[in-house]
Structure formats: structure tokens, C-alpha cells
């Protein structure tokens, strides 16, 4: 059995810990396994090297930074190889270049193009443990430049090697015992998750959980690499990360394969929009409580804030579970929907109220592109929006996640939308997926409705006022951001149109990393004149709290519990967006931690029949953010 083991910086942070790792590796070999080890730099070595660079240069070149930072891992691999040899276990250390981990030439953030594992295989055939420097590679072409993959890149190195070597198991050893339902430093009641799907892990990692790099999870998902996250300090089983059954895929272009693998279409939907002139705490919780009681199948949820602090909430109700041939309009009438929502808003006093308006649109559809790492590839969303715009397809709602970008459109143009998207992303039109498509995973267990909750305190919200409500506007906005290589997370388009000089307009809001907020706002200000929009507002005092679970689809009660948990803590929701596997809310930054505690307590089920808990595990330091 070929096992690939990765040890992080804290796991090899001292001579004693390196010796302990050597003992674990030797024991794994003695259990009749072949072993490849990937290690990070010792402890705070990378931070120390960064400090040295700042001491000699205010603006060091990316190339020289890669030359400097790559030395940290070389110290670790040499010492671990020596420790193994001292135990009588043959071992050899190899840098990323010696292994021939070939990358593109983007210093500091390189992506792996391919791995040529012949040299590793030669040593493995001799019974030698191969210790590989993580985080680094070598550029393609004739220059053979040393490159690094970015912070956390040793995870990427390990899983990519696992894919190239067709490893039976890839073990990620770290300073925590596995993946938790949330950050145990913030929520003491956080529980260890015994098993989680790659899709769920990818969402958690992209939302801020730091045990695994999102790119590593992406590779594991694409190539079916079996993953386990375990503690370096004990022999507990850790968390198993389940990959879908992998389809044959070339190892060429390992990290730059097609970003989009499929197009999905779901028809026979109803869009319900509610506008409210004033906000009332708990309205959303009451609304979804009513929806859960009526067992309506809600697909997408979007809430935005208007210029006058009024809010609108839009959702799509899906025709699932009704008798064949019965339309959603017949099963749930427009009057029924209005009564349902307005009674949730105002109870018995809603009739005659002028503060709430309702719109119900039948004959809607959702069209989506699917892949992995969607948020981390800003050009993908822009390409989807521009493709639809060029075909004259107007986008009414947008939902984004790491796995899918979904647009709500009029059903009359759905065939045209699917055709142009298949052409743009080189997808076979005969394999367009529908709502009943099932992803096969290498596990018999079905996903829990909810697996984890995350808060991100390092995001900013940017709102563009009065964008013309016509095809192509979203494409121009997000195309401009893609040119600046700015990744966008939540995208929210208001449903209330305001007419300015006879032209219908709406607001578009989105979230980005705080570090990208200034660059994003500057780029959009340069675009504003050409698209004729209003002011651009940047808010850095926000937090994004999210709930993730592969079983959340068609679970309105879970969504209702999420909103109820926030309402009970008197937390005002500013914006909402959802996808198949997550629901995210923007709240005030000062309420982010409180929101996470509330959501975790109100929505995460207790993980039963699993011996590990946060308490009682021996760790030499505070645990890292585990999810």
C-alpha cells in the first residue's frame, strides 16, 4: 500500500518533533507500506524568512522571494531524512525541482502543471522513504526557475503527489485532531467530524477553515485521492474526506485543467420577490418557518439592502414532489404564496399594509456551470455572464459557490442559454445535468444536512448603485474585476428596479477579501463612467457567517433554524445568498463571533458514536482553525 504523509510546520517545529515524525514514518513502513513524506518548513521559519526580506528590501522581487522561502523546506527534509537514517530506515530528501514538480512561472502563487514521478518511483522500488519539500516546484521551459505555490502550499504538493503516484491514501498530519464543525477557539462546543465530503470541505476551506488548502481539496476531488486529516500527537483516526468516484483525467495541466466540467439546467421554477419598506428583526426566520411548515422546496435565496435601508428578499421555489404533469402554479397558487409570505411578515395585520410589496413570477429557470475552485478563478464568472449577455439572456438572480455559479433566467430562453454556455466552456450538450443528477461518492454514508459553520471577519462588501438593468452589466462589472485578478464571493443583485431618466436600474453588491477592497473599488470607479452607474460604496465592517452541508438541498427547516438562531440573538441580517451546499449571511463585523456561536448551537447536530472530542486530546499548542 502506497501512503503519502504530509507534516505541517508545527509537526516538525523542533528536533524532538522531527524525531517523533521519523518514528511514525518508520512504523508506517514496518506495517508493510511504501511511504512518501511531504514536509513544511520548521515552525515559524517562513515568517522569519519574510522578516529578513523586509529588513533588506521594501519591495523584494517575487523571484528572489521564492529563492529565499524555498530554503525553509529544504532544512526540514534534510533533517527528517537524517532522523530516519539514524533509525535504520533508508531515506532520501528531494526538493520540488528534483522531484520535477513542474509549475507555471507565477512566482509566489504558482500552479502545478504536471509531476514526473520517475525518480520517486525509483527510490520507492528500493524500499527507500522519499522525503519531499512541500510548497515548491520548478517552472516549465528552459529557465528552470524555483517557484512556490503560496502559503499552505505543502497541502497542495502532498495531494498532487498523491494523484500522480496513485497513492492508496494521503494523510495530512497537523496540530489538530481533524476537521471540526467550527473553530474550537471561538466555539468550545465544536465537535470533531468523522467524515466529510470533498464538496463540503471545499466550501469550508474557501470560507475560511484553515486545516486544508482549498486547492488541495480541489485536486483530491478531481482525481479521487483518499484524504485523512489526523493529529501528529496521537493515533486517533481523524477526519476522512470523501472524494467522488473519479473519472479518467489527464495529469497534464494538473492544476489548470478546465475550470468548468458541466452545465446544469432546472426548469419549472417560480421566483418570489418581497420588498419591504422597513426592516423587522426576525422576519426572515418567520418566513422560512412558514416555508418549512408548508414543505415548499426553496432553491436559491437572495437578500439585498436598498439605498433607503429597505430590503428585498427573493427566492426560487422548485417544482419537486408534485404529481407528474402538475405545474407549480397549480400546486401552490400565487395567492397562496403571497399569503404565506405576508403572514410571516406581518401576521394577521398584513392585509392592507402598504409597507410590503410582492411579486411572483412563474416560468423561471436556473442555469448553472459546475466545477471546482470557482471563486478562486475570477475570470470564470465573468465569462459566464458575458456569454449570456451576448446571447441576449438577462440574468435576474445570481448565486456563487466554490462548486457552482447559478443564474436565474426566464425559462423561455433556457435552451439558448444552455447552448451558448456549452459552446463557451466546451461542454457536450448531450450531458447537460438536471436537478435529479446524483454525484457518486466513494462512501455508502449519506451526507448530513449540515456539517459545519464558519465566520469570515476579513471580508468587505462593495455596492454599486443604479446599475442599468439590462443584459451585459454583470459581465462588465465582474469582467473588470477579473482583469485585476480579484476573486469575488457573494454576488447579490437587488430585485427592486428604480427608474432613472426612464431607464430601469438595480443595485449590485458583492463581497471580496478586505485586502482586495481598495483595488476593487478603484477598478469599478474607472468603469463607472462607461456603464453609467451611481456611487460605489465600500463597507469593511462586515462579517460573513455561513452554514455548510451537502444535505441542505430541499431542507427548508435547516434554513429556518439558521435564521431563527440569528434572530434569537437580535442579530440583523444585512444580506443573504445561498447555493446547494451553503447559506451565507452578512452581518455587522462586531456581531460575527456571536453569530457563529448562535448558528453553531442552533443548526449543527451532535456527532454521535465518535470517541474524539475537543477536550482530552493531547496537543502541545492551541489548535489551528479547523473548520
Amino acid at each position: 500500500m502506497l501512503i503519502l504523509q504530509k507534516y505541517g510546520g508545527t509537526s516538525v517545529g523542533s528536533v524532538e518533533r522531527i524525531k517523533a515524525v521519523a518514528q511514525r514514518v518508520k512504523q508506517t513502513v514496518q506495517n508493510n507500506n511504501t511511504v512518501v513524506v511531504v514536509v513544511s518548513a520548521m515552525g515559524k521559519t517562513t515568517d522569519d524568512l519574510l522578516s529578513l526580506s523586509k529588513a533588506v528590501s521594501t519591495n523584494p522581487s517575487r523571484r528572489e522571494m521564492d529563492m529565499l522561502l524555498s530554503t525553509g523546506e529544504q532544512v526540514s527534509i534534510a533533517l527528517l531524512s537524517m532522523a530516519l537514517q539514524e533509525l535504520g530506515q533508508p531515506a532520501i530528501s528531494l526538493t520540488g525541482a528534483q522531484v520535477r514538480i513542474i509549475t507555471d512561472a507565477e512566482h509566489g502563487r504558482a500552479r502545478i502543471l504536471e509531476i514526473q514521478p520517475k525518480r520517486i518511483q525509483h527510490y520507492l522500488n528500493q524500499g527507500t522513504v522519499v522525503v519531499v519539500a512541500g510548497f515548491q516546484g520548478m517552472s516549465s521551459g528552459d529557465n528552470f526557475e524555483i517557484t512556490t505555490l503560496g502559503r499552505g502550499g505543502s497541502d497542495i504538493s502532498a495531494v498532487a503527489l498523491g494523484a500522480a503516484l496513485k497513492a492508496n491514501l494521503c494523510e495530512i498530519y497537523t496540530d489538530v485532531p481533524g476537521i471540526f464543525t467550527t473553530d474550537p477557539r471561538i466555539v468550545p462546543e465544536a465537535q470533531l467530524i468523522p467524515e466529510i465530503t470533498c464538496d463540503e470541505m471545499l466550501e469550508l476551506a474557501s470560507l475560511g477553515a484553515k486545516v486544508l488548502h482549498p486547492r488541495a481539496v480541489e485536486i483530491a476531488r478531481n482525481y479521487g485521492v483518499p484524504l485523512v486529516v489526523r493529529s501528529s500527537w496521537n493515533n486517533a483516526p481523524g477526519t476522512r474526506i470523501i472524494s467522488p468516484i473519479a473519472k479518467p483525467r489527464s495529469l497534464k495541466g494538473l492544476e489548470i485543467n478546465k475550470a468548468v466540467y458541466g452545465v446544469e439546467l432546472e426548469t419549472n421554477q417560480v421566483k418570489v420577490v418581497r420588498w419591504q419598506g422597513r426592516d423587522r428583526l426576525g422576519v426572515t426566520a418567520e418566513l422560512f418557518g412558514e416555508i418549512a411548515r408548508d414543505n415548499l422546496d426553496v432553491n436559491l435565496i437572495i437578500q439585498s439592502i436598498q439605498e433607503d435601508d429597505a430590503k428585498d428578499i427573493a427566492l426560487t421555489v422548485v417544482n419537486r414532489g408534485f404529481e407528474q404533469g402538475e405545474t407549480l402554479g397549480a400546486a401552490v397558487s400565487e395567492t397562496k404564496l403571497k399569503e404565506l409570505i405576508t403572514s410571516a411578515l406581518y401576521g394577521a395585520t398584513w392585509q392592507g399594509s402598504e409597507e410590503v410589496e410582492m411579486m411572483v413570477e412563474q416560468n423561471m429557470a436556473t442555469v448553472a456551470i459546475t466545477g471546482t475552485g470557482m471563486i478562486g478563478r475570477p475570470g470564470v464568472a465573468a465569462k459566464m455572464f458575458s456569454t449570456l449577455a451576448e446571447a441576449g439572456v438577462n440574468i435576474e438572480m445570481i448565486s456563487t459557490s466554490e462548486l457552482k455559479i447559478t443564474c436565474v433566467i426566464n425559462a423561455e430562453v433556457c435552451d439558448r442559454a444552455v447552448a451558448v454556455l456549452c459552446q463557451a466552456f466546451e461542454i457536450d450538450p448531450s450531458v447537460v445535468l438536471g436537478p435529479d443528477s446524483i454525484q457518486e461518492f466513494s462512501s455508502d454514508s449519506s451526507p448530513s444536512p449540515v456539517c459545519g459553520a464558519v465566520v469570515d471577519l476579513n471580508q468587505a462588501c462593495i455596492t454599486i448603485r443604479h446599475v442599468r438593468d439590462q443584459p451585459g452589466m454583470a459581465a462588465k462589472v465582474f469582467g473588470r474585476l477579473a482583469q485585476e485578478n480579484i476573486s469575488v464571493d457573494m454576488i447579490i443583485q437587488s430585485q427592486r428596479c428604480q427608474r432613472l431618466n426612464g431607464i430601469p436600474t438595480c443595485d449590485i453588491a458583492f463581497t471580496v477579501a478586505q485586502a482586495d477592497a481598495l483595488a476593487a473599488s478603484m477598478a469599478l470607479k474607472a468603469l463607472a463612467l462607461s456603464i453609467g452607474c451611481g456611487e460605489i460604496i465600500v463597507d469593511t465592517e462586515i462579517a460573513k457567517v455561513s452554514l455548510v452541508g451537502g444535505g441542505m438541498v430541499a431542507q427548508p427547516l435547516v434554513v429556518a433554524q439558521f435564521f431563527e438562531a440569528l434572530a434569537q440573538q437580535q442579530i440583523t441580517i444585512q444580506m443573504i445568498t445561498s447555493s446547494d451546499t451553503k447559506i451565507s449571511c452578512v452581518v455587522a463585523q462586531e456581531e460575527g463571533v456571536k453569530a457563529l456561536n448562535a448558528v453553531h448551537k442552533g443548526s449543527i447536530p451532535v456527532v454521535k458514536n465518535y470517541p474524539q472530542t475537543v477536550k482530552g486530546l493531547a496537543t502541545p499548542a492551541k489548535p489551528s482553525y479547523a473548520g
Side-chain angles (χ1 to χ4, degrees), residues 148-163:
T148 62
L149 309 179
R151 292 304 291 260
S154 292
D155 288 348
I156 303 168
S157 303
V159 181
L161 278 166

Side-chain angles (χ1 to χ4, degrees), residues 50-257:
L50 285 169
S51 296
L52 285 174
S53 70
K54 292 176 182 177
V56 299
S57 174
T58 57
N59 187 27
S61 72
R62 286 183 173 272
R63 180 189 183 278
E64 300 307 328
M65 287 301 298
D66 277 1
M67 289 289 287
L68 176 66
L69 297 180
S70 63
T71 62
E73 280 70 23
Q74 293 181 46
V75 173
S76 300
I77 60 174
L79 291 175
L80 181 55
S81 295
M82 293 175 192
L84 284 165
Q85 292 164 8
E86 188 70 14
L87 295 173
Q89 171 60 52
I92 187 169
S93 62
L94 296 174
T95 66
Q98 289 172 319
V99 171
R100 297 194 65 79
I101 298 176
I102 310 299
T103 74
D104 59 24
E106 287 290 326
H107 287 291
R109 56 187 181 193
R111 285 185 175 266
I112 298 174
L113 303 179
E114 64 174 312
I115 296 177
Q116 300 170 4
K118 285 186 178 179
R119 188 172 183 181
I120 290 181
Q121 199 62 61
H122 169 74
Y123 290 118
L124 293 178
N125 292 339
Q126 296 177 346
T128 301
V129 171
V130 181
V131 183
V132 180
F135 173 67
Q136 61 182 248
M138 176 181 71
S139 67
S140 60
D142 298 328
N143 292 329
F144 303 114
E145 294 282 350
I146 291 176
T147 57
T148 62
L149 309 179
R151 292 304 291 260
S154 292
D155 288 348
I156 303 168
S157 303
V159 181
L161 278 166
L165 293 166
K166 295 181 172 57
N168 300 101
L169 181 63
C170 182
E171 297 177 322
I172 306 295
Y173 285 93
T174 182
D175 57 353
V176 292
I179 309 299
F180 285 90
T181 51
T182 193
D183 186 347
R185 297 172 305 175
I186 300 176
V187 183
E189 296 79 17
Q191 304 166 69
L192 199 58
I193 306 171
E195 189 173 277
I196 187 173
T197 68
C198 262
D199 288 359
E200 293 167 329
M201 189 65 239
L202 191 58
E203 293 286 10
L204 286 174
S206 70
L207 290 166
K210 297 174 183 176
V211 161
L212 274 175
H213 198 294
R215 283 165 56 189
V217 184
E218 184 179 343
I219 296 169
R221 186 184 191 276
N222 290 344
Y223 291 93
V225 179
L227 272 180
V228 175
V229 177
R230 302 181 63 186
S231 171
S232 299
W233 322 118
N234 57 49
N235 293 316
T239 300
R240 184 183 177 207
I241 300 170
I242 308 300
S243 298
I245 297 174
K247 297 178 181 178
R249 187 187 299 270
S250 172
L251 286 166
K252 294 280 188 180
L254 194 146
E255 271 205 281
I256 59 168
N257 272 317

Side-chain angles (χ1 to χ4, degrees), residues 225-303:
V225 179
L227 272 180
V228 175
V229 177
R230 302 181 63 186
S231 171
S232 299
W233 322 118
N234 57 49
N235 293 316
T239 300
R240 184 183 177 207
I241 300 170
I242 308 300
S243 298
I245 297 174
K247 297 178 181 178
R249 187 187 299 270
S250 172
L251 286 166
K252 294 280 188 180
L254 194 146
E255 271 205 281
I256 59 168
N257 272 317
K258 288 173 60 176
V260 177
Y261 306 138
V263 173
E264 294 183 2
L265 175 67
E266 192 164 354
T267 57
N268 199 17
Q269 297 197 48
V270 172
K271 183 176 83 168
V272 182
V273 182
R274 178 269 291 171
W275 297 289
Q276 186 180 351
R278 62 179 175 85
D279 190 23
R280 183 168 65 85
L281 192 66
V283 162
T284 308
E286 293 171 12
L287 168 58
F288 281 89
E290 292 288 340
I291 287 172
R293 279 188 284 275
D294 277 60
N295 201 30
L296 293 181
D297 189 353
V298 174
N299 189 355
L300 300 182
I301 308 164
I302 301 289
Q303 177 176 293

Side-chain angles (χ1 to χ4, degrees), residues 10 12 94 186 254 291 326 382 457 557 602:
T10 54
V12 292
L94 296 174
I186 300 176
L254 194 146
I291 287 172
E326 183 180 20
L457 302 173
L557 182 59

Side-chain angles (χ1 to χ4, degrees), residues 533-547:
C533 66
E535 65 177 327
I536 296 167
I537 302 170
V538 180
D539 183 2
T540 58
E541 300 297 319
I542 67 163
K544 183 180 68 178
V545 60
S546 304
L547 200 63

